[in-house]
Amino acid sequence: MNQIKYFLILSLNSLFFIQELYSFTISPIQVGSPKHCNRNSNINTKYVGIDTGITNTITQGTSSSLFSSKASSRRKGSSSWSSSNDHDPNKKGFAPRMNTHADTASSREGRKESNQNDNHNHSIGKHQQLQHEESTHSNTHSHSNNKLHRFDVNMNMNMNNPFKSHDAKDDQIDIHHTAHQQQQHHRQTHQNRMSKILSHIMPPQAQTQTQHNQSNKNDNQKSNLPPLISRSFEWKKLSQHAKYIETTHLRSLLQDQTRSDQMYATHDGLYFDYTRQRITPETMDLLVDLAQKQNLNSKIQDMVNGVKINFTEDRAVLHTALRGKREDQGKIIVDGDDVMEEVYDVLDQIKYFTEAVRSGEIRGFTGKRLRNIISVGIGGSYLGPEFLHECLKTEPEGITKSLGYTLRFLSNVDPVDVERACADLDPEETLIVIVSKTFTTAETMLNARTVRQWLWDFMGDDKEVVRKHVVAVSSISSKEKVEAFGIDTEKYFFRFWDWVGGRYSVCSAVGGIPISLLYGYDLFEKFLQGAHSIDEHFINAPFKENIPVIMGLLGVWNMSFMGYNARTTLPYAEALLKLPAHIQQLDMESNGKKATRSGQLVDYPVGEIDFGEPGTNGQHSFFQLLHMGQVVPCEFIGFLRSQHDICIDGETVSAHDELMANFFAQPDALANGKTAEEVRVEGVDEDLIVHRTFEGNRPSLSIIAPKLTAYSCGQLLAIYEHRTAVQGFIWDINSFDQWGVELGKKLATDVKNYMIESRTKKEKIDAGNPATSRLLNYYVEMSEQNPCETLWDTNPLTSVTRKTHREHFPPVGHDLTGHDGKLKF
């Protein structure tokens, strides 16, 4: 072993040479020529596998004598170790330093002639070797191992195995044709051997630090892509810190007054508390360091200023502009357009149109007031507006403003949803709002055609029926499709833009039209103002005082470092019953991704599973799992005052206080748990104690707002929108596209075609795999449906008309005198 150490130190020759040698995982080192090497040592030329790395600075404890007297005596005995040879590729025994790709090539060329004369083998860098291995792997087994010109570092010091000379033609044999498995074996063997050798001359701490640095270097050498955030120093510090946090318990952390005083934030009436997260002040410092490493502030500024951060679709992300101030016109320009000017053009159009409908200035085809609204859309075109509608439905001002009006949502392609949306509505008093950015969404357009037919069935097939009863909210690029549907694009078309994603669109005409029609534009405007308040806070507040930023950082912490892959939203307000569903789409569609901006697959967890239910309903649904099953971080939302409180004679507290008592109790129960000792004190049988104990240590946070109003509803929406963006920015993913939903849509179209062909031709379906084919054939055979054309011939009325308005059939012939008859599409 001492001989090997002696040999290694001499070959390295200097500290600088050591540093550069380890810049490659596999460094080709020609340790010496046969005639200069001691045959008895049997140490041969080899691709020395080095993965252990070496420190940038070796501590003073390293023996300098190994690099001086012994190396000097060795150089005196052999010219191959002379310092004059270090930079001369034509001299025998030259050992290349492999500083760059260019150096590697030049060294190889410099040795080529010498090797032909002296029967030396040349070596190549790992980056070239691995590249060639991949292209020739299929041929490797056809080459015999006796053609492999590589030699072993024989740790047994076999005295009877001297160097063998080789013919020049053998030197030309391509080394890349080595059997793949043997190469891997040699590489790993010598990595392990070199690690053991270096452990005697390097401090353990230096080895660990070098391994970290070398790992990053090697990853970067594989490509020019930027390193993943998980390779950063900040990320690794958080990973180490998480090990410490695992040794702590919230039961103890909650007793720390200093910690408690640091873990809350307030803004514009909102109170945000996160003391029940499994963190310390140091955790927040490290998370802020990570945010700064990822240039979070710059990314926020890019988003709100119209930079095209949606890089897969080359689009800006400007939902914040939808609730910006009118005086900001001229500050944000995208593709030559003044964003704020366009936003307020549409807002003014929304206000005029909705007020005209509510005042009776705009009426339906038969002259009746339009009192019913059906909003047709899916995904973000439905979840956001419905969440807002449910909030305002029981808000005092909302109740007053909506008297005499009805708003329903039609989203599911299930025909039952059509029945429910249209039931008991008078088509002559109904306005249809079709929401689709592209005006091609399959489910939305089928439902749109269905309700259009419903209007025609009752009022005749005049094209003016559609022009006076159907509104479109779509992108400007879809205007031709809107017009082809029969909609009046001059008065009944409301645009929104490519820089607004569907799940971020509730502040646009997507939410503005249905909400303003039901509740009036003024209430919708208050909602926008609440969202704008959080936008300003998000843009300007320091990270440690910034509610959306803190929530985003905690989301990253819980998902990527603590390993909690789910999260639940628990609003203690029945009026927020649709908020969890909206957040579910907002967050899971945004951050359910697998690749970074540079196209690399993430090697760290991203994208939680979001779910929720209003309290106290959730307590009797899934709280059993929250307390005793897997750990799920919880987010509690409560209010100082109820929209409608109740005090019953004889009760000591109001109904709202009863609700809020649960709001405060559940986080403490999750955090503290219940020990076996506490259970024993209650006299519980010893056999049941394990079933009655709660480990606790389950994280949560709490948000308290003054009262659920349009304004506070806007605040909550913006908080969660920005929380989602922060997590995406830290994870370096695109939170603003949704390519994952496209494949299913394409396959659904194919399946639909299979069913049509099978029903018309009475043939078996071949869907490409036996399982799907069997399922489809079972469905087609057992459902026994006729093609739609056949159904239409036997009954010219849509099914929805038979169970709607006042339970009567409209006459097949009607006395409504149209102009040009039914539109042809």
Side-chain angles (χ1 to χ4, degrees), residues 759-773:
R759 291 194 190 282
T760 54
K761 296 182 179 180
K762 306 299 181 183
E763 296 177 351
K764 291 283 187 179
I765 295 174
D766 181 3
N769 69 77
T772 304
S773 299

Side-chain angles (χ1 to χ4, degrees), residues 259-373:
R259 172 184 176 275
S260 178
D261 291 342
Q262 296 181 44
M263 294 190 177
Y264 75 96
T266 60
H267 171 73
D268 194 13
L270 296 176
Y271 193 99
F272 170 64
D273 179 273
Y274 56 102
T275 54
R276 291 166 184 80
Q277 289 287 314
R278 294 191 65 189
I279 60 171
T280 64
E282 181 187 1
T283 314
M284 290 307 301
D285 291 338
L286 294 174
L287 287 169
V288 169
D289 289 344
L290 182 66
Q292 292 171 343
K293 170 68 176 178
Q294 287 295 76
N295 300 312
L296 177 59
N297 187 62
S298 296
K299 291 178 178 178
I300 292 172
Q301 296 300 324
D302 286 347
M303 181 180 76
V304 301
N305 287 307
V307 176
K308 294 184 178 181
I309 62 173
N310 180 354
F311 52 89
T312 63
E313 297 177 297
D314 192 31
R315 293 174 179 175
V317 178
L318 280 170
H319 47 278
T320 52
L322 299 173
R323 54 255 190 164
K325 294 183 178 180
R326 191 183 293 269
E327 52 265 32
D328 289 337
Q329 293 185 30
K331 294 183 179 180
I332 306 174
I333 307 297
V334 174
D335 295 332
D337 296 326
D338 184 339
V339 169
M340 295 311 303
E341 181 180 355
E342 292 215 357
V343 165
Y344 272 91
D345 283 347
V346 175
L347 287 176
D348 291 341
Q349 182 189 11
I350 293 171
K351 182 178 182 180
Y352 168 78
F353 176 80
T354 57
E355 289 182 349
V357 170
R358 288 173 60 84
S359 68
E361 179 182 346
I362 294 178
R363 294 175 177 256
F365 179 71
T366 62
K368 289 186 176 181
R369 297 275 298 268
L370 298 171
R371 302 180 182 275
N372 308 315
I373 306 103

